[in-house]
Amino acid sequence: MEPIRVSVLCTREEYLRFCARASFSLPQTAAGAVLLTLGGCGAAFGAISETAVVLLWMLGAALLLWEPLLLPFYRKGEAARRYDESRRLQEAVRLTFTEDSVTVDSRATRGTLPLSLVTQTVRTNEMLSLTFGRELTLLLPLRSLDDTQLAAITAALAK
Amino acid sequence: MLAPKAFVQTIDENAYVRARLQAAAHTGALRFRVPVAVLSAALLIGAGLCVYQHMNSGGYLLTAIGEVAVAAILLLIWFWLLPQRERARASADFAVYDRLMNGGETAFSADEFTVTTPLLTREDSYANIRVCLETADSFLSVSDDGVLYIWQKSAFGDEAQTTVFLRDVFARKYRRCGRF
């Protein structure tokens, strides 16, 4: 694989969209569904008071809707604050990908990191994020890569 | 105040996991534990009062058992499950920390610090540190982008001078200090 050199700078809008992407949590959704069902059963059989039914439904609906609908708004606000405060997010980073490593060169961080140390990869329509534990997160807007480069990086990450 | 000497440190997994839990309790996923537990208790009491009529008509035991069960589940989630999840994440991340940061040299200067390891060099300004927590044996700093710096007091070349320097930087100059 030929080294792929890119200079990336994530814009504020891209960062906000990436952080506010919708997510899904199975345990939370299941808990919400159970509470809604319990409320429904309580209402159908008259086993619990109307107030308790309403409380169960409200709690169930909150659990169901929190992650896909409400959390993105919270995350967006938090991401906006973080982006505005963090100079590091607003600086361009030069990245050089090889078959098994990525070289990072920015004002604050320099080094060559093995791709085997990537603990989390997230890909959305416009962003690829590589996380190295709690130590470093690289955000790579896909607009800065062509299809061949993206395929090569994805293949290197999959190894 | 003169900047202290650079120092080299190696952190073991236990110290790393402990630091992650302490940082999470202050700035991360565990910081809402107590407020949420209090709010949940208030909601449960409210729910209990709402079904008071039902309790009077003979459903007391059912209501009491239900409330105790919900309270137990919430306590389990907030005080056992979430810390366990954070602990598991920290253990998994330690391998990366060990390769990237362990054995590195940290050098403090007046307004920024540099961490140099065989794989990585990081320069950070104290102004980028969201909070610095002092524990009995270390300083934990969380930067704006979530990076956790652990500085063990036992690794400092001159423990007293470095401790005073960091307290001065974070408590007096930047007012971003916490204490356990």
Side-chain angles (χ1 to χ4, degrees):
Chain A
M1 170 182 161
E2 286 288 303
I4 298 169
R5 292 188 181 83
V6 282
S7 178
V8 294
L9 173 61
C10 187
T11 65
R12 190 176 191 271
E13 285 69 29
E14 284 171 337
Y15 185 70
L16 297 197
R17 278 197 295 271
F18 178 72
C19 291
R21 67 192 183 281
S23 53
F24 173 78
S25 157
L26 185 62
Q28 206 164 305
T29 310
V34 166
L35 289 180
L36 284 178
T37 313
L38 279 177
C41 290
F45 298 111
I48 50 178
S49 70
E50 281 174 16
T51 320
V53 170
V54 171
L55 274 175
L56 280 174
W57 278 346
M58 280 170 63
L59 201 59
L63 280 173
L64 267 183
L65 300 179
W66 170 248
E67 198 124 0
L69 287 182
L70 303 175
L71 195 58
F73 284 104
Y74 170 75
R75 282 188 180 148
K76 198 169 185 176
E78 184 139 301
R81 182 191 56 76
R82 203 180 311 133
Y83 190 91
D84 293 340
E85 284 179 0
S86 173
R87 267 166 263 162
R88 192 175 289 164
L89 282 169
Q90 299 169 32
E91 286 174 354
V93 182
R94 284 180 294 280
L95 301 173
T96 307
F97 285 91
T98 63
E99 203 154 334
D100 55 4
S101 68
V102 56
T103 301
V104 184
D105 183 12
S106 70
R107 197 190 66 79
T109 309
R110 291 179 300 280
T112 300
L113 313 173
L115 289 178
S116 59
L117 292 183
V118 172
T119 50
Q120 191 187 26
T121 309
V122 178
R123 188 179 160 181
T124 63
N125 288 337
E126 57 178 2
M127 191 84 79
L128 177 66
S129 139
L130 308 180
T131 305
F132 296 80
R134 181 90 189 242
E135 279 35 80
L136 187 68
T137 299
L138 301 175
L139 294 171
L140 189 58
L142 297 184
R143 60 178 160 72
S144 50
L145 299 168
D146 61 36
D147 290 345
T148 325
Q149 289 174 326
L150 181 59
I153 291 171
T154 310
L157 286 169
K159 277 182 186 169
Chain B
M1 177 174 275
L2 280 176
K5 283 180 188 168
F7 64 93
V8 175
Q9 66 174 0
T10 303
I11 290 168
D12 63 23
E13 187 172 347
N14 284 340
Y16 179 76
V17 171
R18 201 168 55 243
R20 280 280 296 265
L21 286 172
Q22 285 168 327
H26 212 90
T27 63
L30 306 181
R31 69 187 186 279
F32 298 123
R33 264 191 314 180
V34 175
V36 168
V38 171
L39 188 69
S40 307
L43 281 174
L44 281 174
I45 291 170
L49 292 174
C50 286
V51 294
Y52 183 69
Q53 263 189 328
H54 178 63
M55 285 160 64
N56 281 346
S57 60
Y60 176 78
L61 191 63
L62 189 69
T63 309
I65 289 172
E67 292 222 331
V68 168
V70 172
I73 290 168
L74 288 175
L75 286 176
L76 213 63
I77 289 173
W78 283 97
F79 292 97
W80 185 78
L81 201 65
L82 292 182
Q84 276 298 107
R85 200 172 66 167
E86 188 63 27
R87 194 172 280 127
R89 272 188 198 155
S91 287
D93 287 347
F94 178 72
V96 177
Y97 183 88
D98 193 34
R99 286 283 305 277
L100 289 186
M101 304 299 278
N102 250 351
E105 184 189 68
T106 304
F108 296 111
S109 58
D111 294 306
E112 59 182 21
F113 60 92
T114 308
V115 182
T116 311
T117 72
L119 290 178
L120 199 64
T121 301
R122 294 187 73 113
E123 286 166 24
D124 227 327
S125 161
Y126 301 124
N128 290 338
I129 299 296
R130 201 189 313 158
V131 66
C132 179
L133 313 170
E134 183 180 354
T135 68
D137 56 1
S138 56
F139 283 89
L140 315 174
S141 294
V142 183
S143 73
D144 279 338
D145 51 355
V147 176
L148 172 66
Y149 295 101
I150 306 166
W151 299 317
Q152 283 186 324
K153 290 179 182 173
S154 58
F156 296 160
D158 181 340
E159 188 173 331
Q161 191 208 349
T162 312
T163 302
V164 169
F165 174 81
L166 289 175
R167 281 180 190 159
D168 182 64
V169 163
F170 289 108
R172 190 182 61 79
K173 207 168 171 185
Y174 290 99
R175 299 182 191 285
R176 292 171 187 179
C177 197
R179 190 182 276 267
F180 276 98

